[in-house]
Amino acid sequence: MLTLLRRRAVSSVIPLLVVVLGVFFLARLTGDPANLYLPLSATPEMRAEFAARNGLDDPLISQFGDYLAQVAHLDFGESLRTAQPAGEAVLRAFPATLQLAGWTMLLAIVGAVVIGSLAAYRPNSATDRIASFLSSTAASVPDFWIAIMGVLVFAVTLGWLPTSGTSGAAAWVLPVATLLIRPFGVLVQVVRGAMVSALSAPYVKVARAKGASEPRVVFGHALRNAAAPALTVAGDLAVGLVNGAVVVETIFGWPGIGKLMIDSVLQRDFAVLQAAVLLTALAIFALNILVDLCHGLLDPRVRQRAAA
């Protein structure tokens, strides 16, 4: 497992450098921050003083070198909007996104395992057909449309739920439900397909012949062997949740990393944007490594290939 962990960590270094390089130079394409933070009547001297004070008067290559040197010392610069350390702003917002994504994936996985297993237990039954239809529909609906319709129906028309905020359990319903629907639909299809194959395998017939109960056969034998493909897809979906939270957090005013990124782009707050993207990329790489480790624990062949 240590070999697998080392190989995945090494292979993540180059993509991480590409992300850092890309966000640094692409952020500069959004425009000159002086146009937002200085009055329209600002003189060339005022603009030059602003650029010099924020390190924007050097060539881009020199700025990038200084940025890498700062990152190496865990210094992500200061926010142009608040004059506070950019790293602290990102760390304050990140837990909100992690909580939102964590609860969403937990509910999606538990629901998909139950529904997918029930559908696979009797293929082509009414339960299987209904589960397949609903999961296909859920996997096809875009998040932003669900979010907008949820606000229109449950917040504006019925007044049951708040449109934004994080206070109270009711404020979590629409954001979590919006993020939940598509991963849930995809996972139900994956779990159902894997369970259909697992339940027809010879070892399941042997377990039934030995008198094992049906719950033990389904959840003790078949589900364990069907978990590997579901885990792989769940990892990809979890990564997508962190990225997809940008839209949901913006619509619902959720104070997470996605909303912070959008605000930073609109206000050309380069330091905060770079820190937010870097921390998100690190979280995604760590999540991918965790999925690979779990995959290795479930499948001995993965460990053997890693050790070869």
Side-chain angles (χ1 to χ4, degrees), residues 143-203:
D143 293 344
F144 69 89
W145 186 82
I146 297 174
I148 294 172
M149 294 306 298
V151 170
L152 177 63
V153 175
F154 296 103
V156 177
T157 304
L158 300 176
W160 292 351
L161 299 170
T163 58
S164 61
T166 59
S167 59
W172 287 70
V173 174
L174 283 178
V176 170
T178 301
L179 282 177
L180 171 70
I181 290 178
R182 199 178 73 81
F184 174 74
V186 173
L187 283 175
V188 166
Q189 294 176 335
V190 173
V191 171
R192 181 208 174 266
M195 286 294 288
V196 167
S197 299
L199 287 171
S200 60
Y203 63 86

Side-chain angles (χ1 to χ4, degrees), residues 53-65:
R53 187 172 66 250
N54 294 286
L56 301 174
D57 57 340
D58 296 328
L60 277 181
I61 295 298
S62 177
Q63 292 182 40
F64 184 64

